[in-house]
Amino acid sequence: MQMREAGFAIRTMSPGDACDEYLAWIADPELMGPLNMPARRLTISQLRDHIVQFDNKLRHLLGLFDETAGMLIGIVLLDINSQHRSARVSLFIGNRDYWGDHRLHPLAQAFQAYLFERKGIEKLRCQVAVDNHRMIGTAKLMGLKPEGLLRGEIRSHHDGSRIDQFVFGLLKTDWAERARQ
Amino acid sequence: MSTHSSSDGLQVARRLLAGALDLEEGTIDGQAQIVALQGFDSLAYERLVASVEEHLDRDVDPLMMVSVDTVADLGNMLSQNEDRSQ
């Protein structure tokens, strides 16, 4: 999977993409906390092992790259349910310089178009902790609508408490309607 | 009895949005979708939630906040929450 738009690219990660920046993100509690993932110190070798765990057919590990700067700036996880033609997406921008960067919007739009038009996806969704306002803002910006509250959906890695999540979704039909406007 | 009118809420909504999105209050249409306002992004939304909570001086119900689509919705939500804190 690969696409380019306006100087940015999203593509399947390969073991060769393991880098110090990615290691630093995984070790950063501020970045991992909102994803409910523990900050971990991995080696480059362990990170390469992690990258190859994804089959990139149903479970995709994708990198967001600034092609002009020639660097990885974030990660997208994509889980596809081929039977239901749905996909669940989660992402984080590891490089803080790109938080709220409007230049990424064309790539995000192109990625949605790719999923709906070329991958046969009919429903896109993401689940976000109710206090992850940045990700909620991203979901809204991308046209995903809040569809419900999942009470105590996940367990906090921090203290074992149950965490509520919002489900956001976007149907292909709604996306196409929005694209027409 | 409501002590805050929806127009008060709309005025506050415009002020909070102007601060979060770095816009002039007067340019914010009450019927506009918040995501369609110039300057809206993930960080702006985070700032908006923080502004709303600071204004109300308490955490806002996440379900109520996530349901807000338009500037007018935000104004109504603020009015309702201010009434509750009386």
Side-chain angles (χ1 to χ4, degrees):
Chain A
M1 192 179 289
Q2 177 167 351
M3 72 193 59
R4 295 188 164 87
E5 197 71 41
F8 292 90
I10 183 168
R11 66 168 169 79
T12 300
M13 291 285 283
S14 68
D17 292 316
C19 58
D20 289 341
E21 287 79 9
Y22 194 174
L23 287 175
W25 301 339
I26 293 172
D28 186 336
E30 189 189 13
L31 287 174
M32 295 297 106
L35 304 173
N36 192 39
M37 293 173 68
R40 294 175 297 166
R41 297 206 172 274
L42 301 182
T43 64
I44 280 282
S45 174
Q46 289 171 322
L47 183 55
R48 289 187 186 122
D49 289 344
H50 169 72
I51 291 171
V52 299
Q53 284 174 9
F54 291 81
D55 64 16
N56 294 311
K57 290 177 181 149
L58 297 180
R59 295 192 68 228
H60 294 261
L61 180 68
L62 307 168
L64 279 171
F65 294 86
D66 180 336
E67 292 201 301
T68 307
M71 63 182 179
L72 180 70
I73 61 170
I75 295 294
V76 178
L77 298 166
L78 185 71
D79 288 299
I80 293 177
N81 184 322
S82 53
Q83 182 184 354
H84 295 290
R85 299 185 182 182
S86 63
R88 177 177 160 178
V89 67
S90 52
L91 66 91
F92 71 91
I93 304 294
N95 187 323
R96 290 169 171 78
D97 292 343
Y98 294 84
W99 285 3
D101 192 329
H102 293 224
R103 295 176 304 159
L104 285 162
H105 294 178
L107 180 66
Q109 300 285 358
F111 185 54
Q112 281 189 343
Y114 172 81
L115 294 175
F116 287 129
E117 292 180 331
R118 294 182 54 192
K119 294 291 283 182
I121 298 300
E122 295 176 353
K123 173 78 183 278
L124 192 59
R125 70 185 174 91
C126 68
Q127 291 179 208
V128 186
V130 294
D131 62 353
N132 188 351
H133 303 302
R134 229 171 21 239
M135 190 61 212
I136 291 170
T138 299
K140 283 175 167 271
L141 187 62
M142 295 313 303
L144 280 79
K145 301 291 184 192
E147 295 186 336
L149 174 70
L150 302 172
R151 296 176 59 227
E153 175 68 6
I154 56 173
R155 187 174 184 273
S156 166
H157 76 82
H158 178 64
D159 60 9
S161 61
R162 305 299 303 179
I163 297 175
D164 296 346
Q165 287 188 317
F166 287 125
V167 184
F168 284 84
L170 179 62
L171 286 166
K172 182 180 179 180
T173 48
D174 291 344
W175 168 80
E177 177 65 28
R178 200 170 71 129
R180 271 196 296 274
Q181 290 172 356
Chain B
M1 178 187 255
S2 173
T3 55
H4 291 83
S5 69
S6 57
S7 62
D8 290 339
L10 186 57
Q11 195 172 350
V12 175
R14 282 202 176 100
R15 177 166 56 80
L16 298 183
L17 281 162
L21 278 66
D22 197 19
L23 294 173
E24 293 290 331
E25 276 184 56
T27 66
I28 300 174
D29 176 1
Q31 298 309 310
Q33 297 279 323
I34 290 174
V35 295
L37 293 174
Q38 187 179 357
F40 183 89
D41 59 36
S42 57
L43 294 179
Y45 186 75
E46 190 174 43
R47 288 194 296 271
L48 177 63
V49 175
S51 301
V52 168
E53 293 186 337
E54 186 178 346
H55 174 76
L56 296 172
D57 196 24
R58 59 186 157 85
D59 290 347
V60 65
D61 176 356
L63 199 53
M64 201 175 273
M65 189 68 205
V66 82
S67 304
V68 165
D69 280 332
T70 66
V71 177
D73 290 343
L74 179 60
N76 288 333
M77 192 271 277
L78 287 165
S79 295
Q80 289 167 15
N81 275 273
E82 296 215 40
D83 287 344
R84 275 180 208 160
S85 55
Q86 298 302 305

